[in-house]
Amino acid sequence: MRIILGVALFIGLAACAGDRAAAPPNAREAQAAVPLVEYRSAFADYKPFADQELADWRKANEEVGAAGGHAAHKPGQGPGQQTSKPEPGKPGGHQ
């Protein structure tokens, strides 16, 4: 196991050493070849805001009702499963 890890480490270090062979150009030399700088605007892929197509509110309400209600108000979705309505015959409700 140690041999395999040693070989893997050696290969990794050899690969890293190979990348350093191409030294960056010396900034002090006026005639040094440097890569061209390409300008790319931050707004090149900008897509302006567009209003979404409005859906029929009646149809949307029917879909929510068929699903059992709004996700935040669905019964049985969290620890607070009590209703705000007082149950008849139990104390604690408005009298």
Side-chain angles (χ1 to χ4, degrees):
M1 182 70 176
R2 288 184 182 182
I3 294 174
I4 294 173
L5 289 176
V7 170
L9 180 63
F10 178 75
I11 292 173
L13 290 175
C16 290
D19 291 341
R20 294 184 183 177
N26 189 351
R28 294 180 184 161
E29 293 180 21
Q31 303 299 324
V34 294
L36 294 176
V37 177
E38 180 181 335
Y39 172 75
R40 177 163 162 73
S41 173
F43 299 104
D45 296 328
Y46 175 75
K47 295 178 185 166
F49 176 78
D51 286 328
Q52 296 178 351
E53 184 178 331
L54 296 177
D56 181 34
W57 65 268
R58 289 182 182 98
K59 183 179 176 187
N61 284 350
E62 289 173 4
E63 290 175 4
V64 170
H70 187 270
H73 301 282
K74 253 180 150 175
Q77 288 294 312
Q81 296 179 4
Q82 299 175 352
T83 63
S84 60
K85 297 179 186 177
E87 294 183 23
K90 290 194 174 181
H94 293 277
Q95 307 284 318

